Amino acid sequence: MIKTLIPQLKKGMVFSLFILASHSALAQSPLIVAHRAGTADAPENTLYAIKLAKENQADIIWLTVQLSKDNQVVLYRPSELKALTDKNGVVSDYSAKQLNKINAAYQFNKKNNIQLPLAETTIATLESVLKKYPDTEFYIDLKSPDANPDSQAEAIYTLLEKTNAFNNTRFYSTNNAFIKALARRSDRINTFESRDETRTLLANNTMNHQCSTSTEEAPKKRWYGFELHRKVEVIEKYTLGEARSPATLSWDKEAIDCFRKNGEAYIVLFGVNNIKDYQFAKEIGADAVMVDSPQLFKK
């Protein structure tokens, strides 16, 4: 009886472990966020890029936006139009209607010796994107170099209300004034935690092994976005001066656990552009990774 039972038990155990491991691997696979809608695969922040990223099965689309002269939110990242187009000046010099005639794929086409359809590669409004893709999740990076934070927040609130897009959008910015202005305008606008806060928490954990999150339980789920590896400069202050030295902040399992210590924390790791980094992000428990080429990570 014992001889018969043991092999059956082993098979059952192996089968159970296999199912558990498969389920765990599936549950922990980070979602794919298409950086600037897939900047390595197509002209960034264009309708063409968004369509291609979705064809390549990106889970979330990351867009970079600025305010036009007439206070419309439009898709464009660099501070100068000449960086990607054949025009000069800045985004705020032009109305949304004028920008919609400018070829945002001009430099991309020139570099790759191709000619993509103009109708899908002009500087589009965020409104047109949200209307076209009501069921797609978007992370939106605010990059206007000259926008008033409160005016921008008002424009964004009006847009989200008009397109009923509060639930499928979340906003990020390296300019903390932009995030604070959104919070002041309405708690219906979803945002990431500030980059400064994220950097400080990560630095304290990775360099000092201190988990300095609040001792109070977070009232709601928090969203953090930061590079998987980020080069920084460490400044040590002494009585008679200071010393500066380069360092790299890198996420690990300890850091992920620290951010989640007092409540739910959703963590998006930036700059994951190879399979090795993706696998590492998966192993440490990242929720999502931002990639330049969704095509490379196509499921």
Side-chain angles (χ1 to χ4, degrees):
M1 182 68 108
I2 296 176
K3 289 181 180 178
T4 307
L5 213 69
I6 290 176
Q8 290 178 348
L9 185 60
K10 284 184 177 179
K11 287 180 182 178
M13 287 175 65
V14 170
F15 181 71
S16 298
L17 288 172
F18 175 76
I19 293 294
L20 182 61
S22 299
H23 177 73
S24 176
L26 180 64
Q28 294 177 2
S29 295
L31 297 180
I32 297 295
V33 181
H35 185 209
R36 304 177 202 154
T39 184
D41 299 333
E44 65 178 54
N45 294 306
T46 60
L47 292 173
Y48 182 90
I50 295 171
K51 180 178 73 173
L52 185 60
K54 289 181 67 64
E55 289 174 359
N56 286 324
Q57 301 176 17
D59 299 294
I60 302 163
I61 309 296
W62 178 286
L63 298 174
T64 314
V65 302
Q66 298 187 40
L67 281 188
S68 65
K69 186 177 182 178
D70 52 345
N71 227 35
Q72 299 299 303
V73 185
V74 299
L75 278 56
Y76 195 76
R77 176 186 55 87
S79 56
E80 296 283 342
L81 285 172
K82 65 182 179 182
L84 301 178
T85 79
D86 60 346
K87 301 296 182 183
N88 293 313
V90 297
V91 166
S92 59
D93 289 337
Y94 298 80
S95 68
K97 186 175 181 179
Q98 291 172 320
L99 291 166
N100 197 42
K101 296 178 181 179
I102 296 176
N103 187 1
Y106 176 79
Q107 298 293 350
F108 184 93
N109 290 342
K110 190 176 178 180
K111 177 182 178 181
N112 294 282
N113 195 29
I114 57 176
Q115 189 59 52
L116 297 175
L118 184 62
E120 297 179 272
T121 55
T122 59
I123 300 176
T125 62
L126 181 58
E127 179 178 346
S128 68
V129 172
L130 295 177
K131 286 181 175 179
K132 187 176 179 67
Y133 298 104
D135 299 320
T136 298
E137 188 171 359
F138 292 98
Y139 293 161
I140 301 165
D141 186 7
L142 304 177
K143 283 286 188 186
S144 286
D146 51 6
N148 175 277
D150 291 313
S151 297
Q152 180 174 250
E154 187 61 40
I156 288 170
Y157 181 85
T158 301
L159 170 60
L160 296 182
E161 194 169 49
K162 181 178 181 180
T163 56
N164 192 30
F166 287 101
N167 293 331
N168 65 314
T169 56
R170 185 169 296 274
F171 292 83
Y172 173 93
S173 184
T174 56
N175 185 344
N176 197 35
F178 288 167
I179 299 300
K180 287 182 176 180
L182 292 178
R184 285 195 301 270
R185 180 58 186 86
S186 174
D187 60 6
R188 296 178 67 193
I189 303 175
N190 298 315
T191 63
F192 281 81
E193 300 300 314
S194 80
R195 183 174 176 84
D196 290 344
E197 177 189 349
T198 306
R199 185 197 304 108
T200 299
L201 289 175
L202 182 61
N204 286 339
N205 182 263
T206 59
M207 301 181 76
N208 300 321
H209 297 284
Q210 295 178 354
C211 188
S212 54
T213 55
S214 172
T215 55
E216 297 181 5
E217 186 172 340
K220 61 179 182 179
K221 193 170 186 176
R222 296 152 297 145
W223 296 65
Y224 296 96
F226 205 77
E227 288 80 2
L228 173 60
H229 305 293
R230 178 66 176 179
K231 292 182 179 180
V232 296
E233 185 179 60
V234 176
I235 303 175
E236 297 179 86
K237 293 188 178 294
Y238 309 109
T239 304
L240 299 178
E242 63 181 31
R244 295 171 180 261
S245 57
T248 300
L249 299 181
S250 294
W251 289 83
D252 56 19
K253 186 66 167 61
E254 181 185 349
I256 295 283
D257 290 344
C258 172
F259 273 72
R260 292 178 176 152
K261 180 181 178 182
N262 297 312
E264 286 189 277
Y266 192 95
I267 298 168
V268 183
L269 300 183
F270 302 164
V272 176
N273 288 311
N274 58 65
I275 302 302
K276 181 181 178 181
D277 282 350
Y278 178 85
Q279 186 61 37
F280 178 72
K282 178 179 177 180
E283 289 170 1
I284 65 176
D287 296 288
V289 295
M290 189 161 70
V291 308
D292 290 342
S293 175
Q295 185 175 13
L296 177 65
F297 295 89
K298 188 174 182 179
K299 301 161 189 170

